[in-house]
């Protein structure tokens, strides 16, 4: 598991954030990326289909300061 922190830049998207952190590992579940952010004092999680975004099938996801991104791995 690789963890990294990157500086937030206004207008940053999930695709840019993942690229800045070194990109996906070989076993990444690219359509099951989890983003957690604090909304109204509560943690809220979003499942973001990053592979579909890269293919132009889904709209990009804008990052906010303090967002945490988790990329799960496939079992095989």
């Amino acid at each position: 598991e690789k963890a990294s922190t990157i500086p937030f830049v206004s207008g940053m998207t999930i695709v840019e954030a993942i690229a800045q952190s070194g990109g996906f590992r070989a076993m990444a579940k690219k359509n099951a990326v989890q983003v957690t952010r604090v909304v109204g004092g509560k943690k809220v999680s979003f499942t973001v289909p990053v592979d579909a975004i890269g293919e132009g099938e889904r709209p990009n996801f804008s990052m906010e300061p303090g967002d945490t991104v988790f990329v799960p791995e496939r079992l095989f």
Side-chain angles (χ1 to χ4, degrees):
E1 186 172 310
K2 181 183 109 181
S4 62
T5 301
I6 59 169
F8 176 79
V9 177
S10 181
M12 177 182 285
T13 66
I14 185 91
V15 173
E16 293 165 338
I18 290 172
Q20 285 187 27
S21 68
F24 285 118
R25 294 173 66 155
M27 297 298 289
K29 288 177 76 173
K30 299 176 185 176
N31 276 331
V33 176
Q34 297 292 311
V35 176
T36 303
R37 71 174 48 146
V38 177
V39 178
K42 295 184 179 184
K43 286 187 177 183
V44 178
S45 291
F46 305 88
T47 300
V48 183
V50 176
D51 202 32
I53 291 169
E55 297 291 327
E57 298 170 3
R58 300 292 283 275
N60 216 327
F61 183 90
S62 295
M63 301 299 294
E64 293 186 7
D67 281 355
T68 302
V69 178
F70 173 72
V71 181
E73 290 195 346
R74 295 177 282 151
L75 298 178
F76 55 92

Coordinates of all heavy atoms in Angstrom, one line a residue:
E1 N 0.9 -1.2 0.0 CA 0.0 0.0 0.0 C 0.9 1.2 0.0 O 1.8 1.3 0.8 CB -0.9 0.0 1.2 CG -1.9 1.1 1.2 CD -2.9 0.9 2.4 OE1 -3.4 -0.2 2.5 OE2 -3.1 1.9 3.1
K2 N 0.6 2.2 -0.9 CA 1.4 3.4 -1.0 C 0.5 4.6 -0.6 O -0.5 4.8 -1.2 CB 1.9 3.5 -2.5 CG 2.7 4.7 -2.7 CD 3.1 4.8 -4.2 CE 2.4 6.0 -4.7 NZ 2.6 6.2 -6.1
A3 N 1.0 5.3 0.4 CA 0.2 6.5 0.8 C 1.1 7.8 0.4 O 2.3 7.7 0.5 CB 0.0 6.5 2.3
S4 N 0.4 8.8 0.0 CA 1.1 10.1 -0.3 C 0.2 11.2 0.0 O -1.0 11.1 0.0 CB 1.6 10.1 -1.7 OG 0.6 10.0 -2.6
T5 N 0.8 12.4 0.2 CA 0.1 13.6 0.4 C 0.5 14.5 -0.7 O 1.7 14.7 -1.0 CB 0.4 14.2 1.7 OG1 0.0 13.3 2.8 CG2 -0.4 15.5 1.9
I6 N -0.5 15.2 -1.4 CA -0.1 16.1 -2.4 C -0.8 17.4 -2.1 O -1.8 17.5 -1.5 CB -0.6 15.6 -3.9 CG1 -2.1 15.4 -3.9 CG2 0.2 14.4 -4.3 CD1 -2.6 15.2 -5.3
P7 N -0.2 18.5 -2.5 CA -0.8 19.8 -2.3 C -2.0 20.1 -3.1 O -2.1 19.7 -4.3 CB 0.3 20.9 -2.6 CG 1.2 20.1 -3.6 CD 1.1 18.7 -3.2
F8 N -3.1 20.6 -2.5 CA -4.3 20.9 -3.2 C -4.1 22.2 -4.1 O -3.5 23.2 -3.6 CB -5.4 21.2 -2.2 CG -6.7 21.6 -2.9 CD1 -7.5 20.7 -3.5 CD2 -7.1 23.0 -3.0 CE1 -8.7 21.1 -4.2 CE2 -8.2 23.4 -3.6 CZ -9.0 22.4 -4.2
V9 N -4.6 22.1 -5.3 CA -4.6 23.2 -6.2 C -6.0 23.5 -6.6 O -6.7 22.5 -7.0 CB -3.7 22.9 -7.4 CG1 -3.7 24.1 -8.4 CG2 -2.3 22.6 -7.0
S10 N -6.5 24.7 -6.6 CA -7.8 25.0 -7.0 C -8.1 24.5 -8.4 O -7.3 24.7 -9.3 CB -8.0 26.6 -6.9 OG -9.3 26.9 -7.3
G11 N -9.3 23.8 -8.5 CA -9.7 23.3 -9.8 C -9.2 21.9 -10.0 O -9.4 21.3 -11.1
M12 N -8.4 21.3 -9.1 CA -7.9 20.0 -9.2 C -9.0 18.9 -9.4 O -10.0 19.0 -8.7 CB -7.0 19.6 -8.0 CG -6.4 18.2 -8.0 SD -5.4 17.9 -6.6 CE -4.0 18.8 -6.9
T13 N -8.7 18.0 -10.3 CA -9.7 16.9 -10.5 C -9.1 15.6 -9.9 O -7.9 15.5 -9.6 CB -10.0 16.6 -11.9 OG1 -8.8 16.2 -12.6 CG2 -10.5 17.9 -12.6
I14 N -9.9 14.6 -9.7 CA -9.5 13.3 -9.2 C -8.4 12.7 -10.1 O -7.4 12.1 -9.7 CB -10.7 12.3 -9.0 CG1 -10.2 11.0 -8.4 CG2 -11.3 12.0 -10.3 CD1 -10.3 11.0 -6.9
V15 N -8.6 12.8 -11.4 CA -7.6 12.3 -12.4 C -6.2 13.0 -12.1 O -5.2 12.3 -12.1 CB -8.1 12.4 -13.8 CG1 -7.0 12.1 -14.8 CG2 -9.3 11.6 -14.1
E16 N -6.2 14.3 -12.0 CA -5.0 15.0 -11.7 C -4.3 14.6 -10.4 O -3.1 14.4 -10.3 CB -5.2 16.5 -11.8 CG -5.6 17.0 -13.1 CD -6.2 18.4 -13.1 OE1 -6.7 18.9 -12.1 OE2 -6.1 19.1 -14.2
A17 N -5.2 14.4 -9.4 CA -4.7 14.1 -8.0 C -4.0 12.7 -8.1 O -2.9 12.5 -7.5 CB -5.8 14.1 -7.0
I18 N -4.6 11.7 -8.7 CA -4.0 10.4 -8.8 C -2.7 10.4 -9.6 O -1.7 9.8 -9.3 CB -5.1 9.4 -9.4 CG1 -6.2 9.2 -8.4 CG2 -4.4 8.1 -9.8 CD1 -7.3 8.4 -8.8
A19 N -2.7 11.2 -10.7 CA -1.5 11.3 -11.5 C -0.4 11.9 -10.7 O 0.8 11.4 -10.8 CB -1.8 12.2 -12.8
Q20 N -0.7 13.0 -9.9 CA 0.4 13.6 -9.1 C 0.9 12.7 -8.0 O 2.0 12.8 -7.6 CB -0.2 14.9 -8.5 CG -0.3 16.0 -9.5 CD -0.6 17.3 -8.8 OE1 -0.4 17.6 -7.7 NE2 -1.3 18.2 -9.6
S21 N 0.1 11.7 -7.6 CA 0.5 10.8 -6.5 C 1.2 9.6 -7.1 O 1.6 8.7 -6.3 CB -0.6 10.4 -5.6 OG -1.5 9.6 -6.4
G22 N 1.4 9.6 -8.4 CA 2.2 8.5 -9.0 C 1.4 7.5 -9.8 O 1.9 6.6 -10.4
G23 N 0.1 7.8 -10.0 CA -0.8 7.0 -10.8 C -1.2 5.7 -10.2 O -1.0 5.4 -9.0
F24 N -1.9 4.9 -10.9 CA -2.5 3.7 -10.4 C -1.4 2.6 -10.4 O -0.6 2.5 -11.3 CB -3.6 3.2 -11.3 CG -4.9 3.9 -11.2 CD1 -5.4 4.6 -12.3 CD2 -5.6 3.9 -10.0 CE1 -6.6 5.3 -12.1 CE2 -6.8 4.6 -9.9 CZ -7.3 5.3 -10.9
R25 N -1.5 1.7 -9.4 CA -0.7 0.5 -9.4 C -1.4 -0.6 -10.3 O -2.6 -0.4 -10.7 CB -0.6 -0.1 -8.0 CG 0.2 0.9 -7.1 CD 0.1 0.5 -5.7 NE 0.9 -0.7 -5.5 CZ 1.4 -1.1 -4.4 NH1 1.3 -0.4 -3.3 NH2 2.0 -2.3 -4.3
A26 N -0.7 -1.6 -10.6 CA -1.2 -2.6 -11.6 C -2.5 -3.3 -11.2 O -3.4 -3.5 -12.0 CB -0.1 -3.7 -11.8
M27 N -2.7 -3.5 -9.9 CA -3.9 -4.2 -9.4 C -5.0 -3.2 -9.0 O -6.0 -3.7 -8.3 CB -3.6 -5.1 -8.3 CG -2.6 -6.2 -8.7 SD -3.3 -7.3 -9.9 CE -4.5 -8.2 -9.0
A28 N -4.9 -2.0 -9.3 CA -5.9 -1.0 -8.9 C -7.3 -1.2 -9.4 O -7.5 -1.6 -10.6 CB -5.5 0.4 -9.3
K29 N -8.3 -1.1 -8.6 CA -9.7 -1.1 -9.0 C -10.1 0.3 -9.4 O -10.6 1.1 -8.6 CB -10.6 -1.6 -7.9 CG -10.5 -3.1 -7.6 CD -11.4 -3.6 -6.5 CE -12.8 -3.7 -6.9 NZ -13.6 -4.3 -5.9
K30 N -9.8 0.7 -10.7 CA -9.9 2.0 -11.1 C -11.3 2.6 -11.1 O -11.5 3.8 -11.1 CB -9.3 2.1 -12.5 CG -7.9 1.8 -12.6 CD -7.3 1.8 -14.0 CE -5.9 1.3 -14.0 NZ -5.4 1.3 -15.4
N31 N -12.4 1.8 -11.2 CA -13.7 2.3 -11.1 C -14.4 2.2 -9.7 O -15.6 2.3 -9.6 CB -14.6 1.6 -12.2 CG -14.5 2.2 -13.5 OD1 -14.2 3.4 -13.7 ND2 -14.6 1.4 -14.6
A32 N -13.5 1.9 -8.7 CA -14.0 1.8 -7.4 C -13.2 2.7 -6.4 O -13.1 2.4 -5.2 CB -14.0 0.4 -6.9
V33 N -12.7 3.8 -6.9 CA -11.9 4.7 -6.1 C -12.9 5.4 -5.1 O -14.0 5.9 -5.4 CB -11.3 5.8 -7.0 CG1 -10.5 6.8 -6.2 CG2 -10.3 5.1 -8.0
Q34 N -12.4 5.5 -3.8 CA -13.2 6.1 -2.8 C -12.6 7.4 -2.4 O -11.4 7.5 -2.1 CB -13.2 5.2 -1.5 CG -13.8 3.8 -1.7 CD -15.3 3.9 -1.9 OE1 -16.0 4.6 -1.2 NE2 -15.8 3.3 -3.0
V35 N -13.5 8.5 -2.4 CA -13.1 9.8 -1.9 C -13.9 10.1 -0.7 O -15.1 10.0 -0.7 CB -13.4 10.9 -3.0 CG1 -13.0 12.3 -2.5 CG2 -12.6 10.6 -4.3
T36 N -13.2 10.5 0.4 CA -13.9 10.9 1.6 C -13.6 12.4 1.9 O -12.5 12.8 1.7 CB -13.3 10.0 2.8 OG1 -13.5 8.7 2.5 CG2 -14.1 10.4 4.1
R37 N -14.7 13.1 2.2 CA -14.6 14.5 2.5 C -15.5 14.8 3.6 O -16.5 14.1 3.9 CB -14.8 15.4 1.3 CG -16.2 15.5 0.8 CD -16.4 16.5 -0.3 NE -15.4 16.4 -1.4 CZ -15.7 16.6 -2.7 NH1 -16.9 17.0 -3.1 NH2 -14.7 16.5 -3.6
V38 N -15.2 15.9 4.3 CA -16.1 16.4 5.4 C -17.1 17.4 4.8 O -16.7 18.4 4.2 CB -15.2 17.0 6.5 CG1 -16.1 17.6 7.6 CG2 -14.2 16.0 7.1
V39 N -18.3 17.1 5.0 CA -19.4 17.9 4.5 C -20.3 18.2 5.7 O -20.9 17.3 6.3 CB -20.2 17.2 3.4 CG1 -21.4 18.1 3.0 CG2 -19.3 16.9 2.2
G40 N -20.4 19.5 6.1 CA -21.3 19.8 7.2 C -20.8 19.2 8.5 O -21.7 18.8 9.4
G41 N -19.5 19.0 8.7 CA -19.0 18.3 9.9 C -19.1 16.8 9.9 O -18.7 16.2 10.9
K42 N -19.6 16.2 8.9 CA -19.7 14.7 8.8 C -18.8 14.2 7.6 O -18.8 14.9 6.6 CB -21.1 14.3 8.6 CG -22.0 14.6 9.8 CD -23.4 14.0 9.5 CE -24.3 14.3 10.7 NZ -25.6 13.7 10.5
K43 N -18.2 13.1 7.8 CA -17.5 12.4 6.7 C -18.4 11.8 5.8 O -19.3 11.1 6.2 CB -16.5 11.4 7.3 CG -15.3 11.9 8.0 CD -14.3 10.9 8.3 CE -13.1 11.5 9.0 NZ -12.1 10.4 9.3
V44 N -18.2 12.1 4.5 CA -19.1 11.5 3.4 C -18.1 10.9 2.4 O -17.1 11.4 2.1 CB -19.9 12.6 2.7 CG1 -20.7 12.1 1.6 CG2 -20.8 13.4 3.7
S45 N -18.5 9.6 2.0 CA -17.7 8.9 1.0 C -18.4 8.9 -0.3 O -19.6 8.7 -0.4 CB -17.4 7.5 1.5 OG -16.5 7.5 2.6
F46 N -17.6 9.0 -1.4 CA -18.1 8.9 -2.8 C -17.3 7.8 -3.5 O -16.1 7.6 -3.3 CB -17.8 10.2 -3.5 CG -18.4 11.4 -2.9 CD1 -17.6 12.1 -2.0 CD2 -19.6 11.9 -3.2 CE1 -18.1 13.3 -1.4 CE2 -20.2 13.0 -2.7 CZ -19.4 13.7 -1.7
T47 N -18.0 7.0 -4.3 CA -17.3 6.0 -5.1 C -17.2 6.7 -6.5 O -18.2 7.1 -7.1 CB -18.1 4.7 -5.3 OG1 -18.2 4.1 -4.0 CG2 -17.4 3.7 -6.2
V48 N -15.9 6.8 -7.0 CA -15.7 7.6 -8.2 C -15.1 6.6 -9.3 O -14.1 6.0 -9.0 CB -14.6 8.7 -7.9 CG1 -14.4 9.5 -9.2 CG2 -15.1 9.6 -6.8
P49 N -15.8 6.5 -10.4 CA -15.3 5.6 -11.5 C -14.2 6.3 -12.4 O -14.5 6.7 -13.5 CB -16.6 5.4 -12.3 CG -17.3 6.7 -12.2 CD -17.0 7.2 -10.8
V50 N -13.0 6.3 -11.8 CA -11.9 7.0 -12.5 C -11.6 6.5 -13.9 O -11.3 7.2 -14.8 CB -10.7 7.1 -11.6 CG1 -9.5 7.8 -12.3 CG2 -11.0 7.8 -10.3
D51 N -11.7 5.2 -14.0 CA -11.4 4.6 -15.4 C -12.4 5.1 -16.4 O -12.1 5.5 -17.5 CB -11.4 3.1 -15.3 CG -10.6 2.4 -16.4 OD1 -9.6 3.0 -16.9 OD2 -11.0 1.3 -16.9
A52 N -13.7 5.1 -16.0 CA -14.8 5.6 -16.9 C -14.6 7.1 -17.2 O -14.8 7.6 -18.3 CB -16.1 5.4 -16.3
I53 N -14.1 7.9 -16.2 CA -13.8 9.3 -16.4 C -12.7 9.4 -17.5 O -12.8 10.2 -18.4 CB -13.4 10.0 -15.1 CG1 -14.6 10.1 -14.2 CG2 -12.8 11.4 -15.4 CD1 -14.2 10.5 -12.8
G54 N -11.6 8.6 -17.3 CA -10.5 8.6 -18.3 C -10.9 8.3 -19.7 O -10.4 8.7 -20.7
E55 N -12.0 7.4 -19.8 CA -12.5 7.0 -21.1 C -13.5 8.0 -21.7 O -14.0 7.8 -22.8 CB -13.2 5.6 -21.0 CG -12.2 4.5 -20.6 CD -11.2 4.2 -21.7 OE1 -11.6 4.3 -22.9 OE2 -10.1 3.8 -21.3
G56 N -13.8 9.1 -20.9 CA -14.8 10.1 -21.3 C -16.2 9.7 -21.2 O -17.1 10.3 -21.7
E57 N -16.4 8.6 -20.4 CA -17.8 8.1 -20.2 C -18.5 8.7 -19.0 O -19.7 8.6 -18.9 CB -17.8 6.5 -20.0 CG -17.2 5.8 -21.2 CD -16.9 4.3 -20.9 OE1 -17.2 3.9 -19.7 OE2 -16.4 3.6 -21.8
R58 N -17.8 9.3 -18.1 CA -18.3 9.9 -16.9 C -17.7 11.3 -16.8 O -16.5 11.5 -17.1 CB -18.1 9.1 -15.7 CG -18.7 7.7 -15.7 CD -20.2 7.7 -15.7 NE -20.8 7.9 -14.4 CZ -21.0 7.0 -13.5 NH1 -20.7 5.8 -13.6 NH2 -21.6 7.4 -12.3
P59 N -18.4 12.3 -16.1 CA -17.8 13.6 -15.9 C -16.7 13.5 -14.8 O -16.7 12.6 -14.0 CB -19.0 14.4 -15.4 CG -20.0 13.4 -14.9 CD -19.8 12.2 -15.7
N60 N -15.7 14.4 -14.9 CA -14.6 14.4 -14.0 C -15.1 14.8 -12.6 O -16.2 15.3 -12.4 CB -13.5 15.3 -14.4 CG -12.2 14.8 -14.1 OD1 -12.0 14.2 -13.1 ND2 -11.2 15.1 -14.9
F61 N -14.4 14.5 -11.6 CA -14.8 14.7 -10.2 C -13.8 15.7 -9.6 O -12.6 15.5 -9.6 CB -14.6 13.4 -9.4 CG -15.1 13.5 -8.0 CD1 -16.4 13.2 -7.6 CD2 -14.1 13.8 -7.0 CE1 -16.8 13.3 -6.3 CE2 -14.5 13.8 -5.7 CZ -15.8 13.6 -5.3
S62 N -14.3 16.8 -9.1 CA -13.5 17.9 -8.6 C -13.1 17.6 -7.1 O -14.0 17.2 -6.3 CB -14.3 19.2 -8.6 OG -14.5 19.6 -10.0
M63 N -11.9 17.8 -6.9 CA -11.3 17.6 -5.5 C -11.6 18.9 -4.7 O -11.7 20.0 -5.2 CB -9.9 17.3 -5.5 CG -9.5 16.0 -6.4 SD -10.3 14.5 -5.7 CE -9.4 14.4 -4.2
E64 N -11.6 18.7 -3.4 CA -11.7 19.8 -2.4 C -10.6 19.7 -1.4 O -10.1 18.5 -1.2 CB -13.1 19.8 -1.7 CG -14.2 20.1 -2.7 CD -15.6 20.3 -2.0 OE1 -15.6 20.3 -0.7 OE2 -16.6 20.4 -2.7
P65 N -10.2 20.8 -0.8 CA -9.1 20.7 0.2 C -9.5 19.7 1.3 O -10.6 19.7 1.8 CB -9.0 22.1 0.8 CG -9.6 23.0 -0.2 CD -10.7 22.2 -0.9
G66 N -8.6 18.8 1.7 CA -8.8 17.9 2.8 C -9.4 16.5 2.3 O -9.5 15.6 3.1
D67 N -9.7 16.4 1.0 CA -10.2 15.1 0.5 C -9.2 14.0 0.7 O -8.0 14.3 0.6 CB -10.6 15.2 -1.0 CG -11.9 15.9 -1.2 OD1 -12.6 16.2 -0.3 OD2 -12.2 16.1 -2.4
T68 N -9.7 12.8 1.0 CA -8.8 11.7 1.1 C -9.3 10.7 0.0 O -10.5 10.4 -0.2 CB -9.0 11.0 2.5 OG1 -8.7 11.9 3.5 CG2 -8.1 9.7 2.6
V69 N -8.3 10.2 -0.7 CA -8.5 9.2 -1.8 C -8.0 7.9 -1.5 O -6.8 7.8 -1.0 CB -7.9 9.7 -3.1 CG1 -8.1 8.8 -4.3 CG2 -8.4 11.1 -3.5
F70 N -8.8 6.8 -1.7 CA -8.4 5.5 -1.4 C -8.7 4.7 -2.7 O -9.8 4.7 -3.2 CB -9.1 4.8 -0.2 CG -8.8 3.4 -0.1 CD1 -7.6 2.9 0.4 CD2 -9.8 2.4 -0.4 CE1 -7.3 1.6 0.5 CE2 -9.5 1.1 -0.3 CZ -8.3 0.7 0.2
V71 N -7.6 4.0 -3.2 CA -7.8 3.2 -4.4 C -7.6 1.7 -4.0 O -6.6 1.3 -3.6 CB -6.7 3.5 -5.5 CG1 -6.9 2.6 -6.7 CG2 -6.7 5.0 -5.8
P72 N -8.8 1.0 -4.0 CA -8.7 -0.5 -3.6 C -8.0 -1.3 -4.7 O -7.9 -0.8 -5.8 CB -10.2 -0.9 -3.4 CG -10.9 0.1 -4.3 CD -10.1 1.4 -4.3
E73 N -7.6 -2.5 -4.3 CA -6.9 -3.4 -5.3 C -7.8 -4.5 -5.6 O -8.6 -5.0 -4.7 CB -5.6 -3.9 -4.7 CG -4.5 -2.7 -4.7 CD -3.1 -3.3 -4.5 OE1 -2.9 -4.4 -4.2 OE2 -2.2 -2.5 -4.7
R74 N -7.7 -5.0 -6.8 CA -8.4 -6.3 -7.2 C -7.8 -7.4 -6.5 O -6.6 -7.4 -6.1 CB -8.3 -6.5 -8.7 CG -9.0 -5.4 -9.5 CD -8.8 -5.6 -11.0 NE -7.4 -5.1 -11.3 CZ -6.7 -5.6 -12.3 NH1 -7.1 -6.6 -13.1 NH2 -5.5 -5.1 -12.5
L75 N -8.6 -8.5 -6.3 CA -8.1 -9.7 -5.6 C -7.3 -10.6 -6.6 O -6.6 -11.5 -6.1 CB -9.3 -10.4 -5.0 CG -10.1 -9.7 -4.0 CD1 -11.3 -10.5 -3.5 CD2 -9.2 -9.3 -2.8
F76 N -7.5 -10.4 -7.9 CA -6.7 -11.3 -8.8 C -6.1 -10.5 -9.9 O -6.3 -9.3 -10.0 CB -7.7 -12.3 -9.4 CG -8.9 -11.7 -10.1 CD1 -8.9 -11.4 -11.4 CD2 -10.0 -11.4 -9.4 CE1 -10.0 -10.8 -12.1 CE2 -11.1 -10.9 -10.0 CZ -11.1 -10.6 -11.3

